[in-house]
């Protein structure tokens, strides 16, 4: 297991370097001068612009800027933004909120998606299977912002079950409705993926063998069908954690959540390239760690991987 983990860590390094290099290039090599736009219509004096470019190493070659950025990543010192704030302070304030929101959404989609998918797969072709397939297809077809506005109006304004906006003091209760909105589309995918995987495994040879040995329905479902059916679902969930954190920008905007999405959007509007790259790099790290965790869960779900 330790050898397997070490090999995966070595594979992560080039992925991280390639992803951060691409992100840095896309942000810093785009047309336009962020320094020139800081002064608005009047602009900034040339001396002030030169000082800012010197402070942020904008006069250095691209590769030098990237290496200096990597140094900041490994030393946890991203510098300061154009407003004079420490970028690490900005990340420290925004990341926990978005991470909590993403984890809540991940739990919702995993628990209910697997549960409904398992029941649908066990009763393939029945009324429950047909109902959940239609509902999941409807959820996938509707954009996230539409789901967000509808649930906000119905559950927040009309029924009063949840607060309409989260504000500056988020907690489990205030984040529950945004988490449901964020998890909606992924829940539909998890449901359909689990349902397909369960229905395929029910007809596998090892399931017939388990039944022939005298195992009851719950033992066959829990030990064999569900365990093997979760492998593709775990793959999707591991990749989806990074997608949830990066895609929370719409949900955070609807419910006025001061998280990574809102901070990233404001940084893009203000042209704060360092903040944009730093926040995106944090999301890349989360995505890589989530996929590394998925690899470890493979070994727990499938003994053949562990023994190999």
């Amino acid at each position: 297991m330790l050898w397997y983990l070490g090999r995966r860590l070595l594979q992560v390094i080039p992925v991280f370097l390639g992803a951060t290099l691409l992100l840095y290039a896309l942000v810093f090599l785009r047309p336009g001068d962020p320094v020139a736009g800081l002064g608005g219509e009047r602009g900034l004096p040339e001396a002030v612009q030169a000082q800012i470019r010197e402070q942020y190493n904008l006069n250095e070659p691209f590769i030098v800027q990237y290496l200096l950025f990597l140094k900041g990543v490994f030393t946890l010192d991203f510098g300061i933004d154009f407003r004079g704030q420490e970028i690490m302070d900005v990340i420290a304030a925004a990341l926990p909120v978005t991470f909590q929101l993403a984890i809540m959404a991940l739990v919702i989609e995993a628990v209910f998606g697997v549960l409904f998918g398992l029941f649908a797969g066990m009763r393939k072709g029945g009324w429950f299977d047909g109902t959940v397939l239609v509902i999941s297809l409807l959820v996938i077809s509707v954009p996230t912002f539409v789901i967000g506005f509808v649930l906000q109006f119905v559950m927040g304004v009309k029924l009063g079950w949840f607060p309409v906006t989260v504000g500056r003091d988020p907690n489990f209760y205030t984040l529950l409705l945004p988490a449901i909105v964020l998890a909606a589309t992924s829940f539909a995918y998890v449901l359909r993926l689990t349902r397909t995987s369960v229905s395929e495994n029910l007809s596998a040879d090892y399931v017939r063998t388990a039944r022939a040995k005298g195992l009851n329905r719950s033992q066959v479902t829990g030990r064999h069908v569900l365990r093997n059916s979760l492998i593709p679902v775990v793959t999707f969930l591991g990749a989806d954690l990074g997608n949830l954190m990066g895609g929370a920008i719409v949900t955070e905007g609807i419910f006025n959540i001061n998280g990574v999405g809102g901070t990233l959007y404001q940084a893009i509007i203000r042209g704060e390239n360092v903040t944009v790259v730093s926040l995106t790099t944090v999301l890349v790290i989360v995505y890589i760690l989530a996929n590394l965790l998925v690899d470890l869960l493979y070994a727990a779900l499938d003994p053949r991987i562990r023994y190999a």
Side-chain angles (χ1 to χ4, degrees):
M1 178 66 73
L2 292 177
W3 176 83
Y4 177 74
L5 179 60
R7 188 180 66 175
R8 292 296 297 144
L9 287 174
L10 291 177
Q11 294 174 352
V12 160
I13 294 175
V15 174
F16 172 77
L17 294 177
T20 53
L21 178 60
L22 180 61
L23 289 170
Y24 199 88
L26 289 175
V27 173
F28 278 84
L29 297 182
R30 65 178 181 175
D33 186 356
V35 177
L38 291 177
E41 296 181 358
R42 296 183 178 182
L44 294 175
E46 290 294 335
V48 176
Q49 292 188 33
Q51 182 181 0
I52 294 176
R53 291 190 178 92
E54 182 70 22
Q55 180 182 357
Y56 290 95
N57 303 307
L58 298 180
N59 295 324
E60 301 291 343
F62 168 75
I63 190 63
V64 175
Q65 295 184 45
Y66 174 69
L67 292 176
L68 291 173
F69 171 75
L70 278 184
K71 177 184 176 183
V73 172
F74 291 120
T75 59
L76 297 180
D77 182 14
F78 294 102
I80 60 176
D81 58 19
F82 290 153
R83 296 175 298 167
Q85 291 181 312
E86 290 284 344
I87 297 179
M88 275 303 300
D89 294 340
V90 176
I91 295 176
L95 186 62
V97 179
T98 300
F99 188 73
Q100 181 181 356
L101 177 64
I103 291 297
M104 290 175 62
L106 190 70
V107 171
I108 291 172
E109 70 180 68
V111 173
F112 291 97
V114 171
L115 187 63
F116 281 89
L118 176 62
F119 288 151
M122 297 289 291
R123 297 165 176 79
K124 185 177 180 181
W127 68 269
F128 183 82
D129 180 37
T131 302
V132 296
L133 284 179
V134 171
I135 294 175
S136 63
L137 183 60
L138 179 63
V139 172
I140 293 173
S141 304
V142 179
T144 301
F145 69 89
V146 175
I147 297 176
F149 283 125
V150 170
L151 292 184
Q152 185 185 48
F153 178 75
V154 174
M155 295 186 176
V157 177
K158 289 296 184 180
L159 300 177
W161 292 351
F162 298 97
V164 178
T165 60
V166 174
R168 295 187 176 275
D169 296 317
N171 53 54
F172 178 84
Y173 174 66
T174 58
L175 288 176
L176 185 56
L177 183 58
I180 294 174
V181 173
L182 185 60
T185 302
S186 297
F187 156 77
Y189 283 116
V190 171
L191 187 155
R192 298 174 73 91
L193 187 60
T194 305
R195 179 252 183 197
T196 302
S197 185
V198 167
S199 62
E200 290 178 353
N201 283 307
L202 281 174
S203 59
D205 292 337
Y206 67 87
V207 173
R208 287 194 291 266
T209 302
R211 289 172 176 167
K213 289 180 178 180
L215 295 180
N216 57 41
R217 183 183 180 89
S218 61
Q219 289 176 324
V220 173
T221 302
R223 294 182 184 179
H224 300 282
V225 176
L226 181 59
R227 187 170 183 175
N228 286 278
S229 300
L230 284 180
I231 294 178
V233 177
V234 168
T235 304
F236 176 83
L237 292 175
D240 199 44
L241 178 59
N243 295 332
L244 289 174
M245 294 190 66
I249 182 171
V250 176
T251 306
E252 291 182 357
I254 295 174
F255 292 94
N256 189 29
I257 302 174
N258 298 314
V260 171
T263 304
L264 190 59
Y265 175 76
Q266 293 298 327
I268 294 173
I269 295 298
R270 293 191 294 263
E272 296 178 356
N273 294 340
V274 179
T275 305
V276 173
V277 175
S278 300
L279 284 169
T280 312
T281 299
V282 172
L283 296 180
V284 169
I285 294 174
V286 172
Y287 186 87
I288 291 175
L289 292 178
N291 280 270
L292 185 61
L293 179 60
V294 166
D295 290 337
L296 297 179
L297 289 176
Y298 281 162
L301 292 172
D302 193 344
R304 294 171 298 179
I305 298 176
R306 182 168 63 250
Y307 295 144

